[in-house]
Amino acid sequence: NRQPIVNSDAGLDLGPVAALAGLRHCLALPMASDTRLVGVLSLYARDPFGDEQARTLGMVTPHLARMFVALETPAAPAAAAPPARPALRVVASR
């Protein structure tokens, strides 16, 4: 529905892993570029997310969506080998 979901139960997405990791809350934000839904940014935490956190991340997600669209767009041929695309990594902290 392209609407953010703030502080839903992390167990709905992660199942029993959420409890094992001590994650209780989920912040899910749609990533849209123009009219295209590119993905959803889902963050998990032990403590509830605040309104300011949700608002700030909501301002970042359109930029992330455009980045993903740009990564999908083939680059113009170049004389030299094209640079390697950066790998996306998931980083978790306790």
Side-chain angles (χ1 to χ4, degrees), residues 34-66:
D34 298 321
T35 60
R36 179 177 172 202
L37 181 64
V38 177
V40 176
L41 175 64
S42 297
L43 304 167
Y44 302 92
R46 291 178 181 181
D47 299 320
F49 290 94
D51 291 337
E52 186 65 25
Q53 290 171 313
R55 216 175 359 265
T56 301
L57 288 166
M59 290 187 294
V60 172
T61 53
H63 301 286
L64 290 173
R66 283 192 288 280

Side-chain angles (χ1 to χ4, degrees), residues 1-46:
N1 64 13
R2 296 182 186 226
Q3 296 297 312
I5 300 173
V6 181
N7 293 321
S8 67
D9 181 356
L12 295 173
D13 289 339
L14 303 176
V17 173
L20 292 173
L23 301 173
R24 298 179 51 208
H25 304 276
C26 174
L27 172 62
L29 300 159
M31 294 192 312
S33 178
D34 298 321
T35 60
R36 179 177 172 202
L37 181 64
V38 177
V40 176
L41 175 64
S42 297
L43 304 167
Y44 302 92
R46 291 178 181 181

